[in-house]
Amino acid sequence: MVYGYIRVSTTNQNLARQRSNIEREYPEVIIYEEKYSAKTDIRPVFQRLLRNVKSGDVIVFDEVSRMSRNAEEGFEDYRNLFDKGVELRFIKEPQINSDVYKTALDTSIEMTGNDIADIYIEATNKVLMILAEKQIKAAFEQAEKERILLSKRTREGMAKGRKAGRIKGVPQHQKKEEYAKKIIRKNNVAFGGSLNNIDTMKLAGISAPTFYKYIREMKGDKPDETM
């Protein structure tokens, strides 16, 4: 049987692209689809798929990041499925399809019975396995880095959006403050005007605490000649 696993991290995201990519390559595929929160690693649909597959079956992923969000766990699942006899295929990273890993095993050199020669053969076989594992792990690690970077950019974008929203919501208050300060600067005795503090507050339409707050802030301000 050929199974496909597709997932997104939020219910607002669309699974259609992943489904289309897999079905284009494997028209008879049985798709398991999952929408789950990025805040948890619990994936009931994926766990059900793992329970259902058996030796000789194939699981297809659109990309390695769909198999796991974590590099270590992803490679562990990869090894467990490989040892179970399940073939793994990745549309966008065919270089880590499980047949690549299997090739490394199949090309292992048989021992000769010669102690010295076998030391070199064993070392060569280990190198082949290490290289295969590194290639697979690297793909999971890259996917994890991209996910973390995307998450960081998303958070930064949201923070900027919130900041922009706050700035956007401020102008009315800011205009009122600027207007009041211009009144104070032009008319209050502290700035060479003719009005005392009480009359300045009335003209500016502000309370006493606000008036004295503005006075403190304006001590370092440059004179504004315009009104």
Side-chain angles (χ1 to χ4, degrees), residues 4 18 28 31 48 72 80 88 97 118 120-121 145 185 200 219:
Q18 295 178 55
E28 304 302 319
I31 297 288
R48 186 166 72 248
E72 287 298 323
N80 289 338
L88 303 173
N97 287 352
D118 285 350
Y120 288 101
I121 292 171
K145 287 178 183 177
R185 186 175 289 117
T200 305
K219 284 182 178 180

Side-chain angles (χ1 to χ4, degrees), residues 36-74:
Y36 81 109
S37 171
K39 296 179 180 179
T40 176
D41 287 327
I42 300 174
R43 295 181 289 165
V45 175
F46 186 62
Q47 295 304 318
R48 186 166 72 248
L49 173 59
L50 295 184
R51 291 193 298 269
N52 289 344
V53 292
K54 58 185 182 299
S55 179
D57 288 341
V58 177
I59 303 179
V60 185
F61 302 88
D62 181 42
E63 56 185 288
V64 68
S65 63
R66 299 303 90 190
M67 182 173 178
S68 176
R69 296 171 64 245
N70 177 280
E72 287 298 323
E73 292 179 2

Side-chain angles (χ1 to χ4, degrees), residues 14-29:
N14 198 318
L15 292 162
R17 178 185 57 79
Q18 295 178 55
R19 175 184 289 275
S20 175
N21 290 343
I22 293 175
E23 290 180 341
R24 188 182 304 113
E25 300 287 335
Y26 304 91
E28 304 302 319
V29 67

Side-chain angles (χ1 to χ4, degrees), residues 13 16 22 25 48 54 67-68 71 73 78 85 89 93 104 110 112 125 140 161 170 180 190 211 214-215 223:
Q13 292 176 310
I22 293 175
E25 300 287 335
R48 186 166 72 248
K54 58 185 182 299
M67 182 173 178
S68 176
E73 292 179 2
Y78 188 108
R89 298 177 188 172
E93 297 100 351
E110 294 184 3
T112 64
N125 291 341
F140 279 104
V170 165
F211 171 81
Y214 287 170
I215 287 289

Side-chain angles (χ1 to χ4, degrees), residues 49-215:
L49 173 59
L50 295 184
R51 291 193 298 269
N52 289 344
V53 292
K54 58 185 182 299
S55 179
D57 288 341
V58 177
I59 303 179
V60 185
F61 302 88
D62 181 42
E63 56 185 288
V64 68
S65 63
R66 299 303 90 190
M67 182 173 178
S68 176
R69 296 171 64 245
N70 177 280
E72 287 298 323
E73 292 179 2
F75 183 70
E76 183 179 352
D77 287 339
Y78 188 108
R79 282 293 300 269
N80 289 338
L81 288 165
F82 180 86
D83 292 342
K84 189 176 180 178
V86 176
E87 186 174 346
L88 303 173
R89 298 177 188 172
F90 302 87
I91 301 294
K92 294 181 180 175
E93 297 100 351
Q95 73 277 9
I96 64 163
N97 287 352
S98 58
D99 57 358
V100 174
Y101 195 57
K102 187 174 185 301
T103 298
L105 288 173
D106 292 344
T107 55
S108 296
I109 307 169
E110 294 184 3
M111 297 296 187
T112 64
N114 182 296
D115 291 344
I116 296 177
D118 285 350
I119 291 174
Y120 288 101
I121 292 171
E122 183 180 3
T124 300
N125 291 341
K126 286 182 178 179
V127 169
L128 288 172
M129 291 305 303
I130 290 171
L131 290 175
E133 287 188 7
K134 279 191 172 183
Q135 185 176 18
I136 295 165
K137 283 183 177 179
F140 279 104
E141 288 167 358
Q142 180 61 31
E144 184 175 8
K145 287 178 183 177
E146 290 175 358
R147 176 186 62 80
I148 293 172
L149 180 60
L150 178 61
S151 178
K152 180 182 178 182
R153 287 176 176 171
T154 300
R155 290 195 302 272
E156 289 174 348
M158 291 175 66
K160 288 180 180 178
R162 287 193 295 269
K163 184 178 180 182
R166 287 196 298 271
I167 294 171
K168 188 175 181 180
V170 165
Q172 196 62 34
H173 166 74
Q174 190 175 26
K175 287 178 181 178
K176 182 178 179 180
E177 178 180 332
E178 290 173 354
Y179 175 79
K181 285 183 176 179
K182 287 179 180 180
I183 291 290
I184 295 169
R185 186 175 289 117
K186 184 175 182 179
N187 298 282
N188 189 256
V189 292
F191 294 89
S194 59
L195 297 182
N196 61 30
N197 291 347
I198 293 176
D199 289 337
T200 305
M201 291 177 210
K202 291 179 180 178
L203 182 62
I206 56 177
S207 64
T210 301
F211 171 81
Y212 289 110
K213 172 177 176 287
Y214 287 170
I215 287 289

